[in-house]
Amino acid sequence: MITHHRTPRNGGDLVIETLQALGARTVFGIPGQHALGLFDALSRSELRYVSSRVENNAAFAADGYARATGEVGVLFLSTGPGALTSLSGLQEAYATAVPMVVVASQIPLSGLGARRKGMLHQLDDQKASAQNVTKTQFSVHHASGIPSAIQDAWAAAITVPQGPVWVEVPQDVLLGEVLVPPVEDALAVPYDHPPRQELIEEAVRWLATSRRTAIVAGGGVRRSTRDARRHLLRVAELLDAPVVCTPGGNSAFPHDHRLSLGSWVEDRHVTDLLEDAEVLLVVGSSLGEVTSNYFTLEPRGRLIQVDAEPRVLESNFPTLGVRADAGQALAAISAALSAELSAAQPGVEDPLRADWHGRSASELVAETLRRVESRLEGQELARERRFLADIRAAVPAEMQTYWDMTIAAYWGWNCWDAQSGEFHSAQGAGGLGYAFPAAIGGAVGLADLADAPQAGTVESAPGVLAVAGDGSAMYSIAELASAQQHGANVTWLIVDDGGYGILRDYMEGAFGRATATELYRPDFVALARSFGVPAEEVPAEEVGPALSRAFNRPGPAVVVVRTLLRMWAPSHLE
């Protein structure tokens, strides 16, 4: 029996129906003329809509949602200026392998191609603008192609290396009535990236004969399956190997473990340890600029590099490159190592005993961290370290935190203990303005996971923390309106040092003086309160109690600290 659907439906409905069938719960974005059919269809759905005020902040919010939940962030964009404004936010998601589906409107079909009809928002090739900052791009020119395009985009977004995927649909396709029946189910399966068996066997041969193995754990470990961290811990303990996490890998390995070097990748003592390893196992990291201590790392042993992105392998050092999902590779290495150790001594699976020139691995780790501590103590940085410690003490153990490109975040990259929470930073692309809109997205995502009511508020969901400087805060100040409108349970810590503090530090070190780094800034407390957001300013010594007060209030809050934080002396210049 054929059922005739009486309610007219359009291309926008097909987009929404497909997203819902794939499991989407929340959409971020800003309406625009060519995207109105998309947003009208959104009103007929059960999807939560979160309205940002600037498109790049909407991209950051979708990114923050995906990082907090492990799900796909969904972003709706309008044509031309709206689409282009989002690109800096998408660059961060692309650089950090955050799964997103981006649906952008397009001018009507009659204006596509080589024609310059002078349509509003018209670009020569809008999709080309997104190619640098998205994994894959799709164009849909007829309504019947919408469900398949969205489904394929979703599958691409969740296939490692994950990332944002772009789908654009012309205005008349979004508005046109469709004969396609409602989308009732959709399945997006990621392409599998298991490691090649011969590579795992070779890697294990190297590892099983090494007595000085060290591990670098990158963001790929965190982006992998929930079991990836467990497999990393198992491999480290089987090898008796010190582990250092990259800034993107922060929290991939227990901070307080006897083998943990934390995230001190920017200290020469840790660099020395990595260079001295007979085998250096790098998982989910390119060993890029920051992780290699600004390309001063010169390993003397053999390298094994595991990454799902083939362009990463051997990009900085000759390695045994294993293209694979980090979690799958670690699981395979763990199983093969266990078998190797059992075969060497049947019925017994003792871990290897490291020998770092007469010291055990745990002794070496403790000594290395003492040296890092000693270096810091010699630089009169007690105030900075106390400030970070006070923040850490105030933040609940399970809270997720988002950090902008600011001096406090640079400290956080290296010394923040995420405990049972998560550490998110903008160091993938390094743009300003990330923390607060991403944290809004994170708060909304945690509300989704908690099945918070769809009544326009997420105040009952777990809170999150955003940390920014005054310079980066001005990039996202408009999102105070979004946070208040949606009741996002996010506390925004603004460290106000009167300018672009890290650039000031760099310029003074390089040139003896800073130029163009000083900023006129508003009264952040009064500005936040004008949006109805509770705010207070406190001295640096009182940041902990101020954060605790903010965390105990539902909805958004702002804490401002006027202070000048210093960076530690860079050890890669020694």
Side-chain angles (χ1 to χ4, degrees):
M1 178 179 176
I2 299 176
T3 302
H4 297 280
H5 301 279
R6 297 180 179 276
T7 304
R9 295 165 50 255
N10 58 28
D13 288 294
L14 285 176
V15 173
I16 300 299
E17 291 165 3
T18 307
L19 288 170
Q20 284 189 264
L22 288 165
R25 291 184 275 189
T26 295
V27 169
F28 299 87
I30 299 175
Q33 177 176 320
H34 294 133
L36 294 181
L38 190 61
F39 282 84
D40 178 59
L42 186 61
S43 71
R44 295 187 286 277
S45 77
E46 296 179 358
L47 291 175
R48 185 202 304 268
Y49 168 58
V50 177
S51 169
S52 298
R53 297 302 181 268
V54 188
E55 283 84 359
N56 72 302
N57 291 333
F60 286 145
D63 171 308
Y65 179 99
R67 295 196 202 199
T69 63
E71 299 180 356
V72 174
V74 180
L75 174 65
F76 284 176
L77 298 171
S78 188
T79 318
L84 294 179
T85 303
S86 75
L87 298 185
S88 62
L90 293 178
Q91 184 189 3
E92 175 59 36
Y94 183 53
T96 318
V98 176
M100 290 170 54
V101 169
V102 183
V103 182
S105 63
Q106 227 333 345
I107 60 174
L109 284 166
S110 61
L112 298 179
R115 295 175 290 276
R116 291 290 296 171
K117 298 176 73 71
M119 291 180 170
L120 186 68
H121 305 329
Q122 185 172 10
L123 291 168
D124 288 344
D125 188 348
Q126 179 174 279
K127 187 171 67 173
S129 300
Q131 285 179 341
N132 250 353
V133 293
T134 55
K135 277 187 67 176
T136 311
Q137 306 80 38
F138 297 89
S139 291
V140 183
H141 289 180
H142 50 84
S144 60
I146 289 175
S148 293
I150 299 292
Q151 182 171 284
D152 290 347
W154 194 284
I158 61 177
T159 293
V160 294
Q162 297 178 338
V165 178
W166 183 276
V167 181
E168 58 184 36
V169 189
Q171 178 188 31
D172 45 351
V173 177
L174 287 171
L175 292 172
E177 188 173 343
V178 299
L179 300 176
V180 181
V183 179
E184 296 179 355
D185 64 83
L187 180 64
V189 179
Y191 185 84
D192 199 23
H193 277 304
R196 296 183 63 85
Q197 185 60 32
E198 69 273 15
L199 294 175
I200 293 298
E201 291 174 357
E202 183 67 10
V204 168
R205 275 193 289 270
W206 292 12
L207 294 168
T209 57
S210 170
R211 290 299 177 267
R212 296 197 312 276
T213 298
I215 300 174
V216 175
V221 179
R222 293 181 60 199
R223 301 279 170 263
S224 185
T225 63
R226 296 291 183 185
D227 288 335
R229 301 180 204 201
R230 177 172 59 83
H231 292 310
L232 173 63
L233 177 61
R234 175 68 171 157
V235 169
E237 291 180 340
L238 283 173
L239 295 171
D240 200 23
V243 180
V244 63
C245 294
T246 71
N250 186 308
S251 75
F253 192 77
H255 193 274
D256 58 355
H257 194 278
R258 66 178 182 85
L259 295 172
S260 175
L261 291 161
S263 294
W264 275 108
V265 292
E266 291 183 72
D267 188 276
R268 186 66 219 178
H269 294 307
V270 174
T271 306
D272 290 342
L273 186 155
L274 299 181
E275 289 183 343
D276 189 39
E278 290 181 356
V279 176
L280 182 59
L281 174 60
V282 181
V283 186
S285 170
S286 65
L287 280 184
E289 184 173 8
V290 175
T291 304
S292 65
N293 204 358
Y294 302 91
F295 299 119
T296 61
L297 173 67
E298 296 181 358
R300 296 189 293 273
R302 296 190 286 188
L303 268 70
I304 302 168
Q305 187 175 23
V306 177
D307 208 285
E309 171 56 77
R311 293 176 298 176
V312 161
L313 301 176
E314 300 193 57
S315 60
N316 288 315
F317 302 96
T319 69
L320 176 64
V322 181
R323 186 195 180 189
D325 168 71
Q328 288 181 285
L330 286 167
I333 291 172
S334 174
L337 269 175
S338 295
E340 181 83 12
L341 294 175
S342 293
Q345 192 173 357
V348 180
E349 193 189 283
D350 286 335
L352 296 168
R353 296 302 175 195
D355 182 1
W356 293 80
H357 312 292
R359 291 166 296 178
S360 70
S362 55
E363 288 172 339
L364 177 68
V365 167
E367 179 182 332
T368 301
L369 293 176
R370 281 195 297 270
R371 289 180 175 181
V372 173
E373 175 83 10
S374 178
R375 184 196 299 279
L376 295 175
E377 288 177 349
Q379 297 179 41
E380 298 181 356
L381 295 168
R383 191 163 184 271
E384 284 75 9
R385 299 176 70 194
R386 162 81 185 278
F387 187 70
L388 264 290
D390 287 348
I391 297 173
R392 177 60 277 180
V395 172
E398 72 283 358
M399 181 173 281
Q400 301 202 26
T401 60
Y402 293 79
W403 301 71
D404 226 306
M405 297 296 288
T406 186
I407 288 178
Y410 283 39
W411 277 92
W413 287 2
N414 288 266
C415 65
W416 183 260
D417 176 6
Q419 297 183 8
S420 58
E422 298 284 350
F423 176 90
H424 310 292
S425 77
Q427 60 87 218
L432 291 178
Y434 169 80
F436 186 52
I440 293 172
V444 171
L446 293 175
D448 277 357
L449 292 182
D451 294 323
Q454 297 278 333
T457 178
V458 296
E459 292 182 353
S460 61
V464 298
L465 172 68
V467 181
D470 56 293
S472 58
M474 291 302 295
Y475 278 68
S476 45
I477 201 75
E479 302 311 326
L480 282 166
S482 177
Q484 182 71 338
Q485 178 177 342
H486 299 287
N489 201 4
V490 53
T491 296
W492 193 10
L493 172 61
I494 301 175
V495 184
D496 182 355
D497 64 7
Y500 298 123
I502 191 65
L503 300 180
R504 177 197 292 135
D505 190 84
Y506 287 164
M507 292 190 77
E508 288 176 349
F511 310 115
R513 64 178 182 177
T515 305
T517 60
E518 306 313 295
L519 299 173
Y520 182 86
R521 68 271 195 209
D523 180 336
F524 286 108
V525 170
L527 185 56
R529 289 175 178 170
S530 74
F531 286 96
V533 176
E536 63 174 314
E537 181 176 323
V538 298
E541 295 73 21
E542 297 177 20
V543 66
L547 288 175
S548 296
R549 288 191 292 271
F551 296 151
N552 287 328
R553 287 191 293 260
V558 172
V559 174
V560 180
V561 174
R562 290 202 180 201
T563 189
L564 181 63
L565 300 179
R566 296 172 53 236
M567 284 290 291
W568 64 88
S571 65
H572 65 277
L573 300 178
E574 294 178 356

